[in-house]
Amino acid sequence: SGFPEAEWVYFRIRAINVDGKETISPIRKLSHSAPAGPVAIFPNPATSTFFIRQDGINGEGFFRLTTISGNTVLEGVLHHSGTEIDISRLPPGIYLVTAIDPNGHSTIPAKLVKSP
């Protein structure tokens, strides 16, 4: 693959525009590891609790539960074996669940319906 066996790869981009002027970007960091698999949530719809699990995760990650408008209502640790989340105090509605693996990769948000 051309990358060293390391968790992070650091890089800069050197660009030359049509006038010959050279610019160099700030140093960026990119995770060398592949993102974990998608997030699974069940039951869905849920009334008081739901389970979240992310395939391929090693160690502990994080989860974020947001409203459709993007307001964070819950955050916490996501265990590799799965995590039970208490949503009994949240109003009924549609929420988005995002998992972040230990390497900082985010999943595409999954839709969760909270029933009364």
Side-chain angles (χ1 to χ4, degrees), residues 43-115:
N44 194 6
T47 55
S48 60
T49 64
F50 74 95
F51 291 89
I52 179 172
R53 188 180 66 230
Q54 186 178 13
D55 294 334
I57 189 174
N58 292 320
E60 292 182 339
F62 300 93
F63 75 89
R64 181 177 300 122
L65 185 68
T66 61
T67 62
I68 293 295
S69 60
N71 295 325
T72 300
V73 292
L74 284 174
E75 290 181 305
V77 174
L78 177 60
H79 303 285
H80 72 276
S81 59
T83 304
E84 183 177 17
I85 313 296
D86 180 2
I87 57 170
S88 60
R89 294 184 178 180
L90 295 177
I94 298 173
Y95 296 89
L96 299 176
V97 181
T98 304
I100 299 99
D101 72 18
N103 295 316
H105 297 109
S106 297
T107 61
I108 295 172
K111 184 170 72 171
L112 171 70
V113 176
K114 168 44 165 95
S115 298

Coordinates of all heavy atoms in Angstrom, one line a residue, residues 43-115:
P43 N -34.2 -2.7 19.7 CA -35.3 -2.6 18.7 C -35.5 -1.2 18.1 O -35.0 -0.3 18.7 CB -36.5 -3.0 19.5 CG -36.2 -2.5 20.9 CD -34.7 -2.7 21.0
N44 N -36.1 -1.2 17.0 CA -36.4 0.1 16.4 C -37.7 0.0 15.6 O -37.8 -0.7 14.7 CB -35.3 0.4 15.4 CG -35.3 1.9 14.9 OD1 -36.0 2.7 15.4 ND2 -34.4 2.2 14.0
P45 N -38.7 0.7 16.1 CA -38.8 1.7 17.1 C -38.6 1.2 18.5 O -38.8 0.0 18.8 CB -40.2 2.3 17.0 CG -40.9 1.5 16.0 CD -40.0 0.5 15.4
A46 N -38.2 2.1 19.4 CA -37.9 1.7 20.8 C -38.7 2.6 21.7 O -39.1 3.8 21.3 CB -36.4 1.9 21.1
T47 N -39.0 2.1 22.9 CA -39.8 2.9 23.8 C -39.0 3.4 25.0 O -39.1 4.6 25.4 CB -41.0 2.2 24.4 OG1 -40.5 0.9 25.0 CG2 -42.0 1.9 23.3
S48 N -38.2 2.6 25.6 CA -37.4 3.0 26.8 C -35.9 2.8 26.7 O -35.1 3.5 27.2 CB -37.9 2.3 28.1 OG -37.8 0.9 27.9
T49 N -35.5 1.7 26.0 CA -34.1 1.4 25.8 C -33.9 0.9 24.4 O -34.8 0.3 23.8 CB -33.5 0.4 26.8 OG1 -34.1 -0.8 26.6 CG2 -33.6 0.9 28.2
F50 N -32.7 1.0 23.9 CA -32.3 0.3 22.7 C -30.8 -0.1 22.8 O -30.1 0.3 23.7 CB -32.5 1.2 21.4 CG -31.5 2.3 21.2 CD1 -30.4 2.1 20.4 CD2 -31.7 3.5 21.9 CE1 -29.5 3.1 20.3 CE2 -30.8 4.5 21.7 CZ -29.7 4.4 20.9
F51 N -30.4 -1.1 22.0 CA -29.1 -1.6 22.0 C -28.4 -1.0 20.7 O -29.0 -0.9 19.6 CB -29.0 -3.1 21.9 CG -29.5 -3.7 23.2 CD1 -30.8 -4.0 23.4 CD2 -28.6 -4.0 24.3 CE1 -31.3 -4.5 24.6 CE2 -29.0 -4.5 25.4 CZ -30.4 -4.8 25.6
I52 N -27.1 -0.7 20.9 CA -26.3 -0.3 19.7 C -25.0 -1.2 19.7 O -24.4 -1.5 20.7 CB -25.9 1.2 19.9 CG1 -25.0 1.6 18.7 CG2 -25.2 1.5 21.2 CD1 -24.8 3.1 18.6
R53 N -24.7 -1.6 18.5 CA -23.5 -2.5 18.3 C -22.9 -2.0 17.0 O -23.6 -1.7 16.0 CB -23.9 -3.9 18.2 CG -22.7 -4.9 18.2 CD -23.1 -6.3 18.2 NE -23.8 -6.6 16.9 CZ -25.0 -7.2 16.8 NH1 -25.6 -7.6 17.9 NH2 -25.5 -7.4 15.6
Q54 N -21.6 -2.0 16.9 CA -20.8 -1.7 15.7 C -19.9 -2.9 15.4 O -19.1 -3.3 16.2 CB -20.0 -0.4 15.9 CG -19.4 0.0 14.6 CD -18.6 1.3 14.7 OE1 -18.4 1.8 15.8 NE2 -18.2 1.9 13.6
D55 N -20.1 -3.5 14.2 CA -19.3 -4.6 13.8 C -17.9 -4.1 13.5 O -17.6 -3.0 13.0 CB -19.9 -5.2 12.5 CG -21.2 -5.8 12.7 OD1 -21.5 -6.3 13.8 OD2 -22.0 -5.9 11.7
G56 N -16.9 -5.0 13.9 CA -15.5 -4.7 13.6 C -14.8 -3.8 14.6 O -13.7 -3.5 14.4
I57 N -15.5 -3.4 15.6 CA -14.9 -2.5 16.6 C -14.1 -3.3 17.6 O -14.5 -4.3 18.0 CB -15.9 -1.6 17.3 CG1 -15.3 -0.5 18.1 CG2 -16.8 -2.4 18.1 CD1 -16.3 0.5 18.7
N58 N -12.9 -2.8 17.8 CA -12.0 -3.4 18.9 C -11.8 -2.3 19.9 O -11.4 -1.2 19.6 CB -10.7 -3.8 18.3 CG -10.8 -5.0 17.3 OD1 -11.6 -5.9 17.6 ND2 -10.1 -5.0 16.2
G59 N -12.1 -2.7 21.1 CA -11.9 -1.7 22.2 C -13.2 -0.9 22.4 O -14.3 -1.3 21.9
E60 N -13.1 0.3 22.9 CA -14.2 1.1 23.2 C -14.3 2.3 22.2 O -13.3 2.9 22.0 CB -14.2 1.6 24.6 CG -14.4 0.5 25.7 CD -14.5 1.1 27.1 OE1 -14.0 2.2 27.3 OE2 -15.0 0.4 27.9
G61 N -15.5 2.6 21.7 CA -15.7 3.7 20.9 C -16.7 4.6 21.6 O -16.8 4.6 22.8
F62 N -17.4 5.5 20.9 CA -18.3 6.4 21.4 C -19.6 6.4 20.6 O -19.5 6.0 19.4 CB -17.8 7.8 21.5 CG -16.5 7.9 22.3 CD1 -15.3 7.8 21.8 CD2 -16.6 8.1 23.7 CE1 -14.1 7.8 22.6 CE2 -15.5 8.1 24.5 CZ -14.3 8.0 23.9
F63 N -20.7 6.8 21.2 CA -21.9 7.0 20.4 C -22.4 8.4 20.7 O -22.2 9.0 21.7 CB -23.0 5.9 20.8 CG -23.7 6.2 22.1 CD1 -24.8 7.0 22.2 CD2 -23.2 5.6 23.2 CE1 -25.4 7.2 23.4 CE2 -23.7 5.9 24.5 CZ -24.9 6.7 24.5
R64 N -23.2 8.9 19.7 CA -23.9 10.2 19.9 C -25.3 10.0 19.3 O -25.5 9.5 18.2 CB -23.1 11.2 19.1 CG -23.7 12.6 19.2 CD -22.9 13.7 18.4 NE -21.5 13.7 19.0 CZ -20.4 13.5 18.2 NH1 -20.5 13.2 17.0 NH2 -19.2 13.5 18.8
L65 N -26.2 10.5 20.1 CA -27.6 10.5 19.7 C -28.0 12.0 19.6 O -27.9 12.8 20.5 CB -28.5 9.8 20.8 CG -30.0 9.6 20.5 CD1 -30.2 8.6 19.4 CD2 -30.7 9.2 21.8
T66 N -28.5 12.3 18.4 CA -28.9 13.7 18.1 C -30.3 13.8 17.6 O -30.9 12.8 17.1 CB -28.0 14.3 17.0 OG1 -28.1 13.6 15.8 CG2 -26.5 14.3 17.4
T67 N -30.9 14.9 17.7 CA -32.2 15.2 17.1 C -32.0 15.4 15.6 O -30.8 15.5 15.1 CB -32.8 16.5 17.7 OG1 -32.0 17.6 17.4 CG2 -33.0 16.3 19.2
I68 N -33.1 15.4 14.8 CA -33.0 15.6 13.4 C -32.3 17.0 13.1 O -31.6 17.1 12.1 CB -34.4 15.5 12.7 CG1 -34.9 14.1 12.8 CG2 -34.4 16.0 11.3 CD1 -34.1 13.1 12.0
S69 N -32.5 18.0 14.0 CA -31.9 19.3 13.7 C -30.5 19.4 14.2 O -29.8 20.4 14.0 CB -32.8 20.3 14.5 OG -32.8 20.1 15.9
G70 N -29.9 18.2 14.7 CA -28.5 18.2 15.0 C -28.1 18.5 16.4 O -26.9 18.5 16.7
N71 N -29.1 18.6 17.3 CA -28.8 18.9 18.7 C -28.4 17.5 19.4 O -29.2 16.6 19.3 CB -29.9 19.5 19.4 CG -30.2 20.9 18.9 OD1 -29.3 21.6 18.6 ND2 -31.5 21.2 18.9
T72 N -27.3 17.5 20.1 CA -26.9 16.2 20.8 C -27.7 16.1 22.0 O -27.8 17.0 22.8 CB -25.4 16.3 21.1 OG1 -24.7 16.4 19.9 CG2 -25.0 15.0 21.9
V73 N -28.4 14.9 22.2 CA -29.2 14.7 23.4 C -28.5 13.6 24.3 O -28.8 13.6 25.5 CB -30.6 14.3 23.1 CG1 -31.4 15.5 22.4 CG2 -30.7 13.1 22.1
L74 N -27.7 12.8 23.8 CA -27.0 11.7 24.6 C -25.7 11.4 23.9 O -25.6 11.4 22.7 CB -27.8 10.4 24.7 CG -29.0 10.4 25.6 CD1 -29.7 9.0 25.4 CD2 -28.6 10.5 27.0
E75 N -24.7 11.2 24.8 CA -23.4 10.7 24.3 C -22.8 9.7 25.3 O -23.2 9.8 26.5 CB -22.3 11.8 24.2 CG -22.6 12.8 23.1 CD -21.5 13.9 23.1 OE1 -21.3 14.6 24.1 OE2 -20.9 14.1 22.0
G76 N -22.0 8.8 24.9 CA -21.5 7.8 25.8 C -20.5 6.9 25.2 O -20.2 6.9 24.0
V77 N -20.0 5.9 26.0 CA -19.1 4.9 25.6 C -19.8 3.8 24.8 O -20.9 3.4 25.3 CB -18.3 4.4 26.8 CG1 -17.4 3.2 26.4 CG2 -17.5 5.5 27.5
L78 N -19.2 3.3 23.8 CA -19.7 2.2 23.0 C -18.8 1.0 23.2 O -17.6 1.1 22.8 CB -19.8 2.6 21.5 CG -20.3 1.5 20.6 CD1 -21.7 1.0 20.9 CD2 -20.3 2.0 19.1
H79 N -19.3 0.0 23.9 CA -18.4 -1.2 24.1 C -18.4 -2.1 22.9 O -19.4 -2.2 22.2 CB -19.0 -1.9 25.3 CG -19.0 -1.1 26.6 ND1 -17.9 -0.8 27.3 CD2 -20.0 -0.5 27.2 CE1 -18.2 0.0 28.3 NE2 -19.5 0.2 28.3
H80 N -17.4 -2.8 22.7 CA -17.3 -3.7 21.5 C -18.3 -4.8 21.5 O -18.7 -5.2 20.4 CB -15.9 -4.3 21.4 CG -15.6 -5.4 22.4 ND1 -15.2 -5.1 23.7 CD2 -15.7 -6.7 22.3 CE1 -15.0 -6.2 24.3 NE2 -15.3 -7.2 23.5
S81 N -18.8 -5.2 22.6 CA -19.9 -6.2 22.7 C -21.3 -5.6 22.5 O -22.3 -6.4 22.4 CB -19.8 -7.0 24.0 OG -20.0 -6.0 25.1
G82 N -21.4 -4.3 22.5 CA -22.7 -3.6 22.4 C -23.0 -2.9 23.6 O -22.5 -3.2 24.7
T83 N -23.9 -1.9 23.5 CA -24.3 -1.1 24.7 C -25.8 -0.8 24.7 O -26.4 -0.6 23.6 CB -23.5 0.3 24.5 OG1 -22.1 0.0 24.4 CG2 -23.8 1.2 25.7
E84 N -26.3 -0.9 25.9 CA -27.8 -0.6 26.0 C -27.9 0.9 26.4 O -27.2 1.4 27.3 CB -28.4 -1.5 27.1 CG -29.9 -1.2 27.3 CD -30.5 -2.1 28.3 OE1 -29.8 -2.7 29.1 OE2 -31.7 -2.3 28.3
I85 N -28.8 1.6 25.7 CA -28.9 3.0 25.9 C -30.3 3.3 26.4 O -31.3 2.8 25.9 CB -28.8 3.8 24.6 CG1 -27.5 3.4 23.8 CG2 -28.8 5.3 24.8 CD1 -26.2 3.7 24.5
D86 N -30.4 4.0 27.5 CA -31.7 4.4 28.1 C -32.2 5.7 27.5 O -31.6 6.7 27.6 CB -31.5 4.6 29.6 CG -32.8 5.0 30.4 OD1 -33.9 5.1 29.7 OD2 -32.8 5.2 31.6
I87 N -33.3 5.6 26.8 CA -34.0 6.8 26.2 C -35.3 7.1 26.8 O -36.1 7.8 26.2 CB -34.1 6.6 24.6 CG1 -34.8 5.3 24.3 CG2 -32.7 6.6 24.0 CD1 -35.2 5.2 22.8
S88 N -35.6 6.5 27.9 CA -37.0 6.7 28.5 C -37.3 8.1 28.8 O -38.5 8.5 28.8 CB -37.1 5.9 29.8 OG -36.1 6.3 30.8
R89 N -36.4 9.0 29.0 CA -36.7 10.4 29.3 C -36.8 11.3 28.1 O -37.1 12.5 28.2 CB -35.6 11.0 30.3 CG -35.7 10.3 31.6 CD -34.7 10.9 32.6 NE -34.8 10.2 33.9 CZ -34.1 10.5 34.9 NH1 -33.2 11.5 34.9 NH2 -34.3 9.9 36.0
L90 N -36.5 10.7 27.0 CA -36.5 11.6 25.7 C -38.0 11.6 25.2 O -38.7 10.6 25.3 CB -35.6 11.0 24.7 CG -34.1 11.0 25.0 CD1 -33.3 10.3 23.8 CD2 -33.6 12.4 25.2
P91 N -38.4 12.7 24.6 CA -39.7 12.8 24.0 C -39.7 11.9 22.7 O -38.7 11.6 22.1 CB -39.9 14.2 23.6 CG -38.5 14.8 23.6 CD -37.6 14.0 24.5
P92 N -40.9 11.4 22.4 CA -41.1 10.6 21.2 C -40.6 11.4 20.0 O -40.8 12.6 19.9 CB -42.6 10.3 21.1 CG -43.1 10.4 22.5 CD -42.2 11.5 23.1
G93 N -40.1 10.7 19.0 CA -39.6 11.4 17.8 C -38.6 10.6 17.1 O -38.3 9.4 17.4
I94 N -37.9 11.2 16.1 CA -36.9 10.6 15.3 C -35.6 11.1 15.7 O -35.4 12.4 15.8 CB -37.2 10.8 13.8 CG1 -38.5 10.2 13.4 CG2 -36.0 10.2 13.0 CD1 -38.9 10.5 12.0
Y95 N -34.6 10.2 15.9 CA -33.3 10.6 16.4 C -32.3 10.0 15.4 O -32.6 9.0 14.7 CB -33.0 10.1 17.8 CG -33.9 10.8 18.8 CD1 -35.1 10.3 19.1 CD2 -33.5 12.0 19.4 CE1 -36.0 10.9 20.0 CE2 -34.3 12.7 20.3 CZ -35.6 12.1 20.6 OH -36.4 12.7 21.5
L96 N -31.1 10.5 15.4 CA -30.0 9.9 14.6 C -28.9 9.4 15.6 O -28.5 10.1 16.5 CB -29.4 11.0 13.7 CG -30.3 11.6 12.7 CD1 -29.7 12.7 11.9 CD2 -30.8 10.5 11.7
V97 N -28.4 8.2 15.3 CA -27.4 7.5 16.1 C -26.2 7.4 15.3 O -26.2 6.8 14.2 CB -27.9 6.1 16.6 CG1 -26.9 5.5 17.5 CG2 -29.2 6.2 17.3
T98 N -25.1 7.9 15.8 CA -23.8 7.8 15.2 C -22.8 7.1 16.1 O -22.8 7.4 17.3 CB -23.2 9.2 14.8 OG1 -24.2 9.9 14.1 CG2 -21.9 9.2 14.1
A99 N -22.0 6.2 15.6 CA -21.0 5.6 16.3 C -19.6 6.1 15.8 O -19.4 6.3 14.7 CB -21.0 4.1 16.2
I100 N -18.7 6.2 16.8 CA -17.3 6.7 16.5 C -16.4 5.6 17.0 O -16.4 5.3 18.2 CB -17.0 8.1 17.1 CG1 -17.9 9.1 16.6 CG2 -15.6 8.4 16.8 CD1 -19.1 9.5 17.5
D101 N -15.6 4.9 16.1 CA -14.8 3.9 16.6 C -13.5 4.4 17.3 O -13.3 5.6 17.3 CB -14.4 2.9 15.4 CG -13.5 3.5 14.4 OD1 -12.8 4.5 14.7 OD2 -13.4 2.9 13.3
P102 N -12.7 3.5 17.9 CA -11.5 4.0 18.7 C -10.5 4.8 17.8 O -9.7 5.5 18.3 CB -10.9 2.7 19.2 CG -12.0 1.7 19.2 CD -12.9 2.1 18.1
N103 N -10.6 4.7 16.5 CA -9.7 5.4 15.6 C -10.3 6.7 15.1 O -9.7 7.4 14.3 CB -9.3 4.6 14.4 CG -8.5 3.3 14.8 OD1 -7.6 3.4 15.6 ND2 -8.9 2.2 14.3
G104 N -11.5 7.1 15.6 CA -12.1 8.3 15.3 C -13.0 8.3 14.0 O -13.4 9.3 13.6
H105 N -13.2 7.1 13.4 CA -14.1 7.0 12.3 C -15.5 7.1 12.7 O -15.9 6.4 13.6 CB -13.8 5.7 11.5 CG -12.5 5.6 10.9 ND1 -11.6 4.7 11.5 CD2 -11.9 6.2 9.9 CE1 -10.4 4.8 10.8 NE2 -10.6 5.7 9.8
S106 N -16.3 7.9 12.0 CA -17.8 8.0 12.3 C -18.5 7.2 11.3 O -18.2 7.1 10.1 CB -18.2 9.5 12.2 OG -17.6 10.3 13.1
T107 N -19.6 6.6 11.8 CA -20.5 5.9 10.9 C -21.5 6.9 10.3 O -21.7 8.0 10.8 CB -21.3 4.8 11.6 OG1 -22.1 5.4 12.6 CG2 -20.4 3.7 12.2
I108 N -22.2 6.4 9.2 CA -23.3 7.2 8.7 C -24.4 7.1 9.7 O -24.7 6.0 10.2 CB -23.7 6.6 7.3 CG1 -22.6 6.8 6.3 CG2 -25.0 7.3 6.9 CD1 -22.9 6.1 5.0
P109 N -25.0 8.2 10.1 CA -26.0 8.1 11.2 C -27.2 7.2 10.8 O -27.6 7.1 9.7 CB -26.5 9.6 11.3 CG -25.4 10.4 10.7 CD -24.8 9.6 9.7
A110 N -27.6 6.4 11.8 CA -28.7 5.5 11.7 C -30.0 6.2 12.3 O -29.8 6.8 13.3 CB -28.4 4.2 12.3
K111 N -31.1 6.0 11.7 CA -32.3 6.6 12.2 C -32.9 5.7 13.3 O -33.1 4.5 13.1 CB -33.3 6.8 11.1 CG -34.6 7.5 11.5 CD -35.5 7.9 10.3 CE -36.1 6.7 9.7 NZ -37.1 7.0 8.7
L112 N -33.3 6.3 14.4 CA -33.9 5.6 15.5 C -35.3 6.3 15.8 O -35.3 7.5 15.9 CB -33.1 5.7 16.8 CG -33.8 5.2 18.1 CD1 -34.0 3.7 18.0 CD2 -33.0 5.6 19.3
V113 N -36.3 5.5 15.9 CA -37.7 6.1 16.2 C -37.9 5.8 17.7 O -37.9 4.7 18.1 CB -38.8 5.5 15.3 CG1 -40.1 6.0 15.7 CG2 -38.5 5.8 13.8
K114 N -38.2 6.9 18.4 CA -38.6 6.7 19.9 C -40.1 6.8 19.9 O -40.7 7.8 19.6 CB -37.9 7.9 20.6 CG -38.3 8.2 22.1 CD -38.5 7.0 23.0 CE -38.5 7.4 24.4 NZ -39.8 7.7 25.1
S115 N -40.7 5.7 20.4 CA -42.2 5.7 20.5 C -42.6 6.1 21.9 O -41.8 6.0 22.8 CB -42.7 4.2 20.2 OG -42.4 3.8 18.9

